[in-house]
Amino acid sequence: MPAELPGLYFDQAKNRYYKVQSHHVAAEGTGYSQQAVELVQEEQARVQSQTEHRQRQLNATIQRAPILQRPLIRGLSLQREVIEDQRRLMRTRASLWADGLEQRKFIAVDEYISHTVRDQATKTVCFVTDNYAFQPSKHPTFACTPLARHSEEGQKRYHVQSMRHKCQSLTSSFCLSPCRVLITTTFGGTAGQFSLGFPTLVASCLTPADLYLSGLKNLDESPPVPRTTDLKRFDDGPVVSLKFRANCTLWTSATGPQTDDLVVAVTIDDSIGQYKGPHLQFDSMGPLSLQSDALSLDYQDHNVILSGYRNGSVGLWDTRSRASTVRLRHPSSVVHVRAMTGHRIAVAGLSNQLCVYDLRYTKEHREGVVTKPFLTFSEHKNMATVRPQLGFGVHQNLVAAATDDNSFHIFDAVSGQALPIGGSCEQSGSLEGPARCIEFVDDDGGWGDGLRLLVAHSNKIDEWAW
């Protein structure tokens, strides 16, 4: 069938198009009559008029920001409005979560607790006790697993067992990899006439979660079945230990985000060593040499390692290309450095300095120039206490930091303000001693009841939760 062309009609008999004239006379109802053309034009004009009327009504109803009317920044301004709404929502969620926290006793022991870490698969909290007597005594490690059945008084019950690995000297770091390998580093050294051993890196493989939890089912029965030899140890896997030279210091360690294989980085004086595999095979050594001790480590992603130094420098090391750079300079010695969401990092130091930096806006460091931070938390208090005496934790846009006055703060990394804790106006949680370890615990992956805060102070571990 021939196509319909505006202002023309097709004559089937002559097989050609003819222009519609104003004086043309055709049979009524034919498609090329003057009357049919006028009807089509009237219908099109009516539809266009209705469309313009609805658009005017819509423009009169919606109030648009004046900045959106500028064509050069219209798209950017709309994006800023959306991001501001998201930030406002995150601030509200963080404030409500911190306001509803309640302090609960988790466990209390006889010795001081120096380090804690939580196993997500079994909900077990592992901790190290130190006596700080600088004598050649053992520093035992324990595993505390909550049981499903409560006591007759309605209190929560726990199963506590001593782990096989006992540190010869003070523990410098204690962390757990995603593949469930417990990493411990010790200082070593000497104390007077006593030898505290060599600095040591220890990797302890944990028992499979389902096998370990199956042995605890007897303890949940009423009355509980007495303990038998079938009860699996929490660290029943192989243990690998590496000893370093006596005149070096293992300041800290961090595990990579890989879930299929063990990757661990260790600071050896002012350098960084990376080890892979269950046997801790040497992989590479960081090329940074700043003549300053590396006190803190964290993996920004699978390949990039963040390092904080005593002189305030924060470096980046790419383990693939072996390239490294000093990206920024903190106003004081770096005690903790943690990767946050996106390109931001949190850096805690001495002289009450706790800042958030955005790596997209920090140029390569110039000697003697302090980098301007993205956010500064003015409520933070730590004048001269170095790791591992004060805890530090990061979760999404929340930062929890211990202070040197036996308390801790929870900061909002969006607004830079300290959040009131526990339904009071106080912006800090009071403790019986310095909070040596602070860890966010997230069992449901969001902001529900599963997000909690574990705080180790003195000889106790408290749980701040809803």
Side-chain angles (χ1 to χ4, degrees):
M1 183 177 179
E4 295 184 2
L5 301 178
L8 301 175
Y9 74 94
F10 184 81
D11 195 322
Q12 296 286 348
K14 297 182 180 181
N15 195 25
R16 59 171 294 184
Y17 286 96
Y18 288 91
K19 185 178 181 180
V20 176
Q21 303 295 334
S22 59
H23 60 276
H24 183 76
V25 178
E28 185 178 358
T30 56
Y32 50 86
S33 66
Q34 182 66 29
Q35 182 181 5
V37 174
E38 293 177 355
L39 291 176
V40 172
Q41 293 176 350
E42 291 178 359
E43 179 65 20
Q44 293 177 349
R46 185 182 64 82
V47 173
Q48 184 178 1
S49 177
Q50 291 180 350
T51 303
E52 294 177 353
H53 179 68
R54 286 196 296 267
Q55 186 63 38
R56 288 194 298 269
Q57 287 182 330
L58 186 62
N59 293 339
T61 304
I62 300 178
Q63 293 183 355
R64 299 172 62 85
I67 196 172
L68 296 179
Q69 300 175 4
R70 303 177 184 178
L72 295 180
I73 56 176
R74 183 178 302 167
L76 177 62
S77 301
L78 181 59
Q79 183 181 7
R80 290 180 59 185
E81 283 191 352
V82 174
I83 294 177
E84 184 61 30
D85 291 340
Q86 295 175 351
R87 290 178 177 176
R88 190 179 300 110
L89 177 60
M90 287 188 293
R91 288 195 297 266
T92 303
R93 288 193 304 179
S95 178
L96 292 176
W97 174 80
D99 187 67
L101 293 179
E102 295 180 359
Q103 184 178 9
R104 304 168 188 169
K105 177 182 176 181
F106 187 81
I107 192 174
V109 295
D110 295 333
E111 300 288 343
Y112 286 100
I113 298 176
S114 61
H115 296 81
T116 63
V117 69
R118 186 177 185 271
D119 178 28
Q120 184 76 10
T122 61
K123 297 180 174 54
T124 300
V125 176
C126 305
F127 58 92
V128 181
T129 57
D130 285 337
N131 55 19
Y132 292 95
F134 292 98
Q135 296 179 359
S137 59
K138 303 293 184 180
H139 299 265
T141 306
F142 297 91
C144 177
T145 306
L147 301 178
R149 191 179 67 86
H150 290 63
S151 64
E152 297 179 356
E153 294 80 11
Q155 298 180 354
K156 198 170 184 61
R157 299 169 59 247
Y158 301 92
H159 170 66
V160 181
Q161 66 173 219
S162 175
M163 302 177 68
R164 292 187 301 169
H165 174 63
K166 294 178 175 59
C167 303
Q168 296 289 339
S169 61
L170 293 180
T171 304
S172 58
S173 68
F174 194 57
C175 56
L176 182 65
S177 70
C179 56
R180 302 188 71 245
V181 177
L182 196 62
I183 302 297
T184 309
T185 59
T186 61
F187 284 112
T190 59
Q193 59 180 350
F194 300 109
S195 175
L196 303 180
F198 293 91
T200 308
L201 168 64
V202 181
S204 304
C205 295
L206 303 183
T207 307
D210 53 350
L211 187 61
Y212 173 71
L213 294 177
S214 62
L216 298 180
K217 292 183 179 179
N218 292 338
L219 301 179
D220 282 330
E221 297 182 5
S222 181
V225 177
R227 184 184 303 178
T228 63
T229 56
D230 295 333
L231 189 62
K232 293 291 183 180
R233 299 191 63 87
F234 184 68
D235 57 339
D236 206 20
V239 178
V240 179
S241 178
L242 293 181
K243 292 185 178 180
F244 294 76
R245 65 181 188 273
N247 60 345
C248 74
T249 303
L250 305 183
W251 288 107
T252 185
S253 64
T255 57
Q258 293 84 349
T259 58
D260 54 346
D261 194 10
L262 173 63
V263 179
V264 57
V266 183
T267 59
I268 309 168
D269 292 336
D270 61 345
S271 60
I272 305 171
Q274 182 172 258
Y275 301 84
K276 290 186 177 181
H279 300 291
L280 294 179
Q281 300 174 351
F282 176 77
D283 178 66
S284 58
M285 181 68 71
L288 278 177
S289 181
L290 302 178
Q291 303 299 322
S292 180
D293 293 329
L295 301 180
S296 183
L297 276 183
D298 193 24
Y299 277 83
Q300 187 182 17
D301 53 32
H302 287 72
N303 303 300
V304 179
I305 297 178
L306 297 168
S307 55
Y309 294 83
R310 190 184 295 275
N311 62 1
S313 301
V314 175
L316 295 178
W317 177 36
D318 193 327
T319 58
R320 296 168 300 179
S321 63
R322 306 296 192 265
S324 62
T325 180
V326 178
R327 195 58 181 269
L328 58 93
R329 180 69 177 267
H330 195 60
S332 66
S333 299
V334 177
V335 181
H336 297 281
V337 58
R338 292 289 186 275
M340 303 182 66
T341 56
H343 302 272
R344 295 185 300 168
I345 62 173
V347 181
L350 308 181
S351 303
N352 302 333
Q353 295 293 333
L354 174 57
C355 305
V356 173
Y357 298 91
D358 195 322
L359 296 179
R360 295 172 297 179
Y361 306 111
T362 57
K363 299 180 181 180
E364 191 170 352
H365 167 64
R366 293 181 296 172
E367 187 65 29
V369 178
V370 177
T371 306
K372 183 178 180 180
F374 178 76
L375 276 178
T376 301
F377 304 107
S378 58
E379 293 87 351
H380 180 64
K381 297 179 180 179
N382 178 24
M383 285 300 299
T385 306
V386 297
R387 61 174 301 124
Q389 302 297 326
L390 293 181
F392 189 75
V394 172
H395 174 78
Q396 295 184 8
N397 288 302
L398 293 177
V399 177
T403 62
D404 53 8
D405 58 354
N406 298 344
S407 62
F408 70 95
H409 292 281
I410 299 178
F411 298 99
D412 179 16
V414 177
S415 62
Q417 302 296 324
L419 301 176
I421 302 176
S424 64
C425 298
E426 297 292 334
Q427 295 180 338
S428 63
S430 299
L431 305 172
E432 296 181 4
R436 292 187 173 88
C437 186
I438 295 178
E439 181 180 1
F440 283 97
V441 175
D442 189 10
D443 287 333
D444 57 5
W447 289 83
D449 295 341
L451 182 59
R452 304 188 300 279
L453 196 65
L454 290 180
V455 181
H457 60 102
S458 185
N459 63 333
K460 301 177 182 178
I461 300 178
D462 289 340
E463 182 182 51
W464 294 74
W466 277 55

